[in-house]
Amino acid sequence: MSQNKNALIRYKTIDKCLQNKYRQWTLEDLIECCSEALFEYEGRENPISKRTIQMDIQLMRSEKLGYNAPIVVYDKKYYKYEEDEFSITDIPLTETDMNVLTETVSMLKQFKDFSLFSDVSDILQRLEDKIYAEKSHTKPVIYLDKNENLKGLHFLDEIYQAIIKKVTLVITYKSFKSREETKFHFHPFILKEFNNRWFLVGKTKSSQPVKNLALDRIIAIDYDFNLPYIEEDFDADSFYKNVIGVTVNTGLQPKRIELWIDAVNAPYVVTKPLHSSQRLIKENEDGSIIVHLFILPNYEMERILLGFGDGIEILRPENLRNRMKNILQKALSKYELNNNTAL
């Protein structure tokens, strides 16, 4: 690994340590954390001297790297950021940074029609927007839906590393339905995002079906290096091909689901299909349409269909139609006279 890469890993590690305000950081602590980070990336011991970390801190404080990090020493031995919310990852872009980004975006846009680069089109758009906002000192014109208060996001990088390095996890978890926390081994396959929530997908045992865990329900993560990781050729595209969301009822076969959509919602469903299997069956004179999907019914599908309110009707299969009817009748009963539960 190049010395520049080593240095960047040390800067990032020091930054991550000093963001943790609930611990006191000595120089020896920072050396230990940087050594562990380099060992994780290189797979071998790489001794770091006290002088190296001291120089790193001086560079992070200076303008040379553009960080101007407000690192201070208190009680003559502990290091911290004087500004609680500071992070070197949040520093504004310099004019040089913006020029480089502008050139990079322009270059990548030349490849936008290649299938290999089709997945980065939205990233390019976000980069362009960031550059424009920085250069013009105006607010961004692109706002993405996000939930900054969502729990469990701090596990993302840790889980990602475990997946690519094929490490068995020990997870402490508490589902919405459970009263108590449970601890179990988990073999992580992929991370999946749906509706602004992140899920960890994998297995507890090789004989068990694939399951997903919501990151916001994970209490703690540890590792078991003695338990062999389950080597499985997990194909996420195939696994989620016939579902909306993340819940896959394994063992069941996809069903043809036929829906009537009113004229108000029809354009939205046509331009943004509910699922890749959606097909238009009929366009009615009043502007309403009939479509069918070929999917496995699950919780996420029901939530989406219920979200249309009276703008949708499940025509078939009969069992799904009856289930949705019962749910709506129960919902309607909440609004009947003399049934105000809040009172």
Side-chain angles (χ1 to χ4, degrees):
M1 184 181 292
S2 69
Q3 291 304 308
N4 284 342
K5 182 68 172 178
N6 277 345
L8 288 173
I9 291 172
R10 295 198 305 271
Y11 302 151
K12 183 179 178 182
T13 303
I14 293 170
D15 178 64
K16 190 174 182 181
C17 289
L18 298 186
Q19 285 182 68
N20 183 356
K21 302 183 290 292
Y22 302 103
R23 175 175 169 178
Q24 293 180 310
W25 297 96
T26 64
L27 193 62
E28 289 70 24
D29 292 332
L30 297 177
I31 292 171
E32 182 181 353
C33 288
C34 288
S35 298
E36 290 175 356
L38 287 174
F39 178 79
E40 183 177 345
Y41 279 92
E42 291 188 314
R44 61 185 177 87
E45 296 288 345
N46 194 342
I48 301 174
S49 68
K50 180 184 292 187
R51 179 65 177 164
T52 297
I53 299 301
Q54 289 174 326
M55 288 295 295
D56 288 342
I57 291 172
Q58 289 301 322
L59 279 171
M60 290 172 70
R61 284 170 170 161
S62 72
E63 296 181 358
K64 187 174 182 180
L65 299 174
Y67 294 155
N68 296 302
I71 301 174
V72 295
V73 180
Y74 64 101
D75 294 342
K76 297 182 180 181
K77 62 184 296 190
Y78 300 114
Y79 290 79
K80 71 173 184 177
Y81 280 141
E82 194 170 27
E83 300 171 14
D84 286 346
E85 302 303 319
F86 182 86
S87 171
I88 62 173
T89 60
D90 294 333
I91 59 174
L93 295 172
T94 65
E95 186 174 352
T96 301
D97 293 333
M98 289 188 285
N99 289 336
V100 171
L101 278 174
T102 302
E103 293 175 6
T104 303
V105 169
S106 298
M107 180 189 71
L108 288 174
K109 285 180 71 176
Q110 298 178 40
F111 300 97
K112 67 181 185 299
D113 294 326
F114 284 71
S115 60
L116 183 63
F117 293 90
S118 61
D119 291 339
V120 302
S121 59
D122 63 325
I123 299 175
L124 294 180
Q125 196 170 12
R126 276 179 268 171
L127 274 174
E128 285 187 297
D129 183 55
K130 176 65 174 176
I131 294 166
Y132 173 77
E134 291 282 352
K135 281 187 173 181
S136 60
H137 302 290
T138 60
K139 294 181 179 179
V141 295
I142 297 176
Y143 280 86
L144 300 172
D145 198 13
K146 60 181 179 179
N147 185 351
E148 294 178 346
N149 296 319
L150 187 64
K151 295 180 180 179
L153 294 183
H154 60 289
F155 290 128
L156 273 174
D157 187 58
E158 196 172 356
I159 293 171
Y160 173 78
Q161 293 296 331
I163 292 172
I164 60 176
K165 292 173 182 176
K166 299 182 178 180
V167 175
T168 303
L169 298 174
V170 180
I171 292 181
T172 305
Y173 192 79
K174 184 180 180 182
S175 70
F176 287 117
K177 298 179 181 179
S178 301
R179 292 185 178 181
E180 304 292 334
E181 300 174 1
T182 58
K183 183 180 286 190
F184 51 85
H185 287 91
F186 198 78
H187 304 265
F189 295 162
I190 64 165
L191 282 160
K192 183 173 173 60
E193 186 268 345
F194 177 73
N195 197 26
N196 277 328
R197 290 185 76 199
W198 283 91
F199 299 86
L200 172 59
V201 181
K203 283 187 173 184
T204 53
K205 296 179 180 179
S206 58
S207 59
Q208 296 296 313
V210 173
K211 65 184 298 183
N212 63 71
L213 306 175
L215 261 63
D216 55 8
R217 305 310 301 165
I218 294 178
I219 308 299
I221 287 179
D222 203 347
Y223 310 95
D224 188 340
F225 297 102
N226 296 317
L227 184 64
Y229 176 85
I230 296 174
E231 293 279 358
E232 187 163 312
D233 186 18
F234 179 71
D235 186 343
D237 290 331
S238 175
F239 188 74
Y240 291 106
K241 179 182 178 181
N242 298 315
V243 299
I244 294 172
V246 296
T247 306
V248 179
N249 298 312
T250 54
L252 301 180
Q253 293 299 314
K255 295 181 178 180
R256 177 188 169 107
I257 298 173
E258 199 166 300
L259 310 171
W260 171 87
I261 315 290
D262 70 1
V264 174
N265 290 286
Y268 298 99
V269 175
V270 170
T271 55
K272 187 184 178 184
L274 301 172
H275 186 259
S276 59
S277 65
Q278 178 178 304
R279 297 293 181 269
L280 179 63
I281 298 175
K282 185 180 179 181
E283 295 183 71
N284 299 314
E285 291 183 3
D286 63 356
S288 64
I289 59 173
I290 296 176
V291 300
H292 82 237
L293 311 174
F294 192 68
I295 57 176
L296 281 166
N298 63 2
Y299 175 83
E300 293 94 323
M301 180 209 72
E302 290 185 1
R303 298 282 76 76
I304 288 176
L305 297 185
L306 287 169
F308 282 91
D310 65 348
I312 197 169
E313 180 184 355
I314 290 87
L315 302 178
R316 56 178 64 87
E318 194 67 24
N319 61 341
L320 179 61
R321 178 182 172 87
N322 291 334
R323 174 172 170 75
M324 300 298 275
K325 178 182 176 181
N326 290 334
I327 292 173
L328 291 169
Q329 285 177 334
K330 288 180 180 179
L332 181 61
S333 69
K334 305 291 184 185
Y335 295 89
E336 298 291 349
L337 292 175
N338 303 319
N339 192 32
N340 192 331
T341 54
L343 297 177

